[in-house]
């Protein structure tokens, strides 16, 4: 067993930490500080903190690791290696150079595709056929380090960011279980990335959930799935936000001509006309109300049909 420091914060990192607790000697865990959440804005611990506390592992929650003195607890733990999974901060050389066996990142994409903070959402948005996990050696760049191991999974037609997140989190833990010992022992040589093939996945924001009705129905279907569960795909109706929680694409065949964003009833379905084709609504959530089937929503607001969304 190697002495490992684990750095991670959200639910994605939990399976990796649990695997390390079973297979290695975890001498410390670094996670983001507790953040205010919910209507009461009460401080809530990260998912990783909850697991670390339950396991009795030493915990460190720095606001930042920018300065060398901020990494003092890591130096005291004297790890042989650091394993990172969605920690939430860029690591600087004084952290990367600390463990003799280096820092290893569990990244949720098939690098060099989708370097950056939101690879899961961008893979779905782009209509990729596959995603996967990369175990990589960290350097000072943004996911630019050499690659140890990759494993791909096919994206399902109804894949959402939520389902892909859970599948990749489990896969990341599996790769650590199967390959970390060989990596730390030097039996796997990392291969450099091809920078010319790199694409980037910038951090998704709340505003990125806004539905661009001028796009095609196929693109809008991917948008809804990529924004599920957060920040949720949304549009506006009567000046208020309307979330679209489930939808399906509709081809342009037999759709009447209308401006993008126009709600129509088509072959028994509620469809929003897109720039090409349309988007069949299945489940929505009006502002201040619970999620509901589109049929229930329209039954209460029949004037929804014929309106234009996003104005």
């Amino acid at each position: 067993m190697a002495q490992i420091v684990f750095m991670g914060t959200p639910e994605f990192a939990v399976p990796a930490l649990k695997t390390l607790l079973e297979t290695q000697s975890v001498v410390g865990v670094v996670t983001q500080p507790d953040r205010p959440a919910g209507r009461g804005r009460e401080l809530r611990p990260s998912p990783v903190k909850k697991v670390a506390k339950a396991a009795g592992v030493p915990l460190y929650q720095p606001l930042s690791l920018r300065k060398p003195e901020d990494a003092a607890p890591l130096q005291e733990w004297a790890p042989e290696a650091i394993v990172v999974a969605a920690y939430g901060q860029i690591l600087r050389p004084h952290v990367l150079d600390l463990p003799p066996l280096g820092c290893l990142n569990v990244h949720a994409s098939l690098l060099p595709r989708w370097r950056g903070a939101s690879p899961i959402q961008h893979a779905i948005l782009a209509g990729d056929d596959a995603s996967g996990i990369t175990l990589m050696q960290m350097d000072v760049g943004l996911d630019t380090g050499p690659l140890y191991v990759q494993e791909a999974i096919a994206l399902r037609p109804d894949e959402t960011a939520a389902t892909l997140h859970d599948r990749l989190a489990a896969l990341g833990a599996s790769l650590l279980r199967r390959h970390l010992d060989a990596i730390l022992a030097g039996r796997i040589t990392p291969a450099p990335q091809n920078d010319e093939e790199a694409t980037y996945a910038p951090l998704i924001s709340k505003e990125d959930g806004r539905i661009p009705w001028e796009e095609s129905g196929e693109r809008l279907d991917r948008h809804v799935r990529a924004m599920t569960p957060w920040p949720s795909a949304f549009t506006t109706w009567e000046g208020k936000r309307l979330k679209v929680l489930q939808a399906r694409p509709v081809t342009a065949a037999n759709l009447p001509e209308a401006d993008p964003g126009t709600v129509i009833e088509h072959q028994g379905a509620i469809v929003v006309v897109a720039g090409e084709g349309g988007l069949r609504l299945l489940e929505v959530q009006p502002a201040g109300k619970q999620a509901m089937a589109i049929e229930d929503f329209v039954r209460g607001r029949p004037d929804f049909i014929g309106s234009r969304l996003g104005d």
Side-chain angles (χ1 to χ4, degrees):
M1 287 188 177
Q3 292 203 149
I4 302 291
V5 162
F6 180 77
M7 303 179 70
T9 300
E11 197 66 42
F12 176 83
V14 166
L17 173 56
K18 288 183 175 179
T19 290
L20 294 176
L21 290 169
E22 295 172 3
T23 60
Q24 307 294 333
S25 175
V26 180
V27 295
V29 168
V30 183
T31 191
Q32 292 288 310
D34 297 1
R35 304 293 188 191
R39 292 184 178 180
R41 307 305 291 166
E42 295 181 359
L43 290 178
R44 292 185 183 177
S46 72
V48 161
K49 178 178 180 177
K50 293 178 182 178
V51 174
K53 287 191 69 175
V57 177
L59 191 68
Y60 181 40
Q61 295 179 269
L63 289 173
S64 170
L65 288 170
R66 291 177 180 271
K67 299 177 181 178
E69 55 266 31
D70 296 329
L74 281 73
Q75 294 174 332
E76 293 176 4
W77 290 334
E80 296 174 84
I82 294 176
V83 175
V84 181
Y87 171 54
Q89 289 187 27
I90 299 294
L91 300 186
R92 298 175 184 273
H94 59 265
V95 176
L96 296 174
D97 297 340
L98 192 155
L101 299 180
C103 296
L104 180 145
N105 186 36
V106 182
H107 187 76
S109 83
L110 299 173
L111 292 171
R113 187 159 180 81
W114 303 130
R115 295 173 177 173
S118 299
I120 291 174
Q121 292 91 337
H122 283 278
I124 295 173
L125 279 172
D128 289 358
D129 294 328
S131 182
I133 289 289
T134 300
L135 301 184
M136 60 167 291
Q137 184 183 88
M138 298 181 71
D139 61 15
V140 293
L142 178 64
D143 300 324
T144 55
L147 314 178
Y148 287 112
V149 176
Q150 289 185 317
E151 188 166 319
I153 57 172
L155 266 63
R156 301 163 179 163
D158 61 349
E159 197 83 67
T160 67
T163 61
L164 185 55
H165 168 282
D166 291 352
R167 296 171 68 202
L168 291 180
L171 179 60
S174 175
L175 289 186
L176 287 175
R177 185 180 296 274
R178 286 181 276 147
H179 300 291
L180 183 58
D181 284 340
I183 290 171
L184 297 180
R187 297 195 299 270
I188 298 178
T189 302
Q193 297 187 40
N194 184 347
D195 292 339
E196 295 181 357
E197 296 178 353
T199 59
Y200 291 89
L203 183 67
I204 294 292
S205 69
K206 286 186 177 181
E207 185 59 25
D208 288 325
R210 185 180 297 274
I211 300 173
W213 293 113
E214 68 278 5
E215 300 280 357
S216 70
E218 295 284 348
R219 173 66 172 75
L220 297 182
D221 169 60
R222 298 200 302 268
H223 181 94
V224 171
R225 293 187 286 110
M227 300 299 156
T228 300
W230 192 91
S232 292
F234 73 91
T235 187
T236 53
W237 180 59
E238 296 188 339
K240 296 182 179 179
R241 183 169 295 205
L242 177 71
K243 292 182 180 181
V244 176
L245 304 181
Q246 290 189 55
R248 294 291 182 270
V250 177
T251 63
N254 300 322
L255 270 185
E257 290 189 11
D259 291 334
T262 302
V263 182
I264 64 172
E265 191 168 7
H266 177 68
Q267 297 179 352
I270 307 302
V271 175
V272 185
V273 176
E276 178 183 343
L279 189 70
R280 178 183 178 183
L281 303 183
L282 299 177
E283 185 180 22
V284 297
Q285 184 176 6
K289 297 185 179 181
Q290 297 294 317
M292 62 185 74
I294 188 62
E295 294 82 5
D296 295 333
F297 177 65
V298 172
R299 190 176 299 116
R301 292 299 306 267
D303 56 328
F304 183 67
I305 298 175
S307 65
R308 186 173 176 185
L309 305 181
D311 287 343

